[in-house]
């Protein structure tokens, strides 16, 4: 294998790794939550703002939610800008990887 072939392989592997990183929600997180055992916990919306696309121009943001699982606090972005601080919602998580979680039930899903 010459130097040119190694460079081509390196570029392809790097491209695959970048794509996995960019689309980790669809490639890794969603299948884990859909195929493996999950648990549901209560989370609260906290006063931690996450800018949306072009938020530096528009000021749009969503709040984070926080929950405790086995004595450790986890946070994630909510998916709706209309949540209120302190509002409770149900979060679905993978017990082995609790950082992989999503909103299961809120006032917007009922």
């Amino acid at each position: 294998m010459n130097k040119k072939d190694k460079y081509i392989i390196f570029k392809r592997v790097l491209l695959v790794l970048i794509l996995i990183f960019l689309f980790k929600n669809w490639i890794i997180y969603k299948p884990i939550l859909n195929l493996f055992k999950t648990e549901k916990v209560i989370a609260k919306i906290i006063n931690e703002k996450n800018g949306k696309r072009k938020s530096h121009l528009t000021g749009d943001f969503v709040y984070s939610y926080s929950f405790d699982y086995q004595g450790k606090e986890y946070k994630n972005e909510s998916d709706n800008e209309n949540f209120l601080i302190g509002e409770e919602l149900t979060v679905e998580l993978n017990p082995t990887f609790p950082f992989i979680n999503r909103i299961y039930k809120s006032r917007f899903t009922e």
Side-chain angles (χ1 to χ4, degrees):
M1 192 180 294
N2 63 24
K3 196 172 185 179
K4 186 177 181 182
D5 291 338
K6 288 181 182 179
Y7 181 69
I8 290 171
I9 291 172
F10 173 76
K11 283 182 10 181
R12 289 180 180 169
V13 169
L14 184 62
L15 177 66
V16 168
L17 291 175
I18 289 170
L19 289 173
I20 288 173
F21 175 77
L22 291 175
F23 298 105
K24 66 183 175 256
N25 283 336
W26 295 281
I27 296 172
I28 299 171
Y29 291 2
K30 231 178 189 180
I32 285 176
L33 290 172
N34 289 335
L35 300 174
F36 298 102
K37 178 185 162 204
T38 60
E39 292 184 19
K40 293 169 182 61
V41 296
I42 301 296
K44 280 194 173 189
I45 299 295
I46 58 174
N47 191 11
E48 185 175 294
K49 296 179 180 180
N50 302 292
K52 294 172 77 174
R53 286 190 178 183
K54 299 181 184 177
S55 64
H56 60 286
L57 299 172
T58 63
D60 291 342
F61 67 90
V62 294
Y63 286 112
S64 291
Y65 60 85
S66 171
F67 63 92
D68 289 326
Y69 184 73
Q70 296 181 343
K72 188 172 177 187
E73 181 183 31
Y74 294 92
K75 297 178 184 179
N76 206 349
E77 290 184 18
S78 66
D79 56 358
N80 192 317
E81 62 273 0
N82 296 318
F83 281 117
L84 304 173
I85 296 172
E87 188 171 343
E88 289 188 347
L89 46 106
T90 305
V91 172
E92 180 179 38
L93 62 91
N94 180 281
T96 307
F97 305 107
F99 61 89
I100 300 176
N101 60 74
R102 64 182 168 200
I103 296 174
Y104 178 75
K105 188 175 184 182
S106 71
R107 68 183 165 112
F108 299 107
T109 59
E110 295 174 349

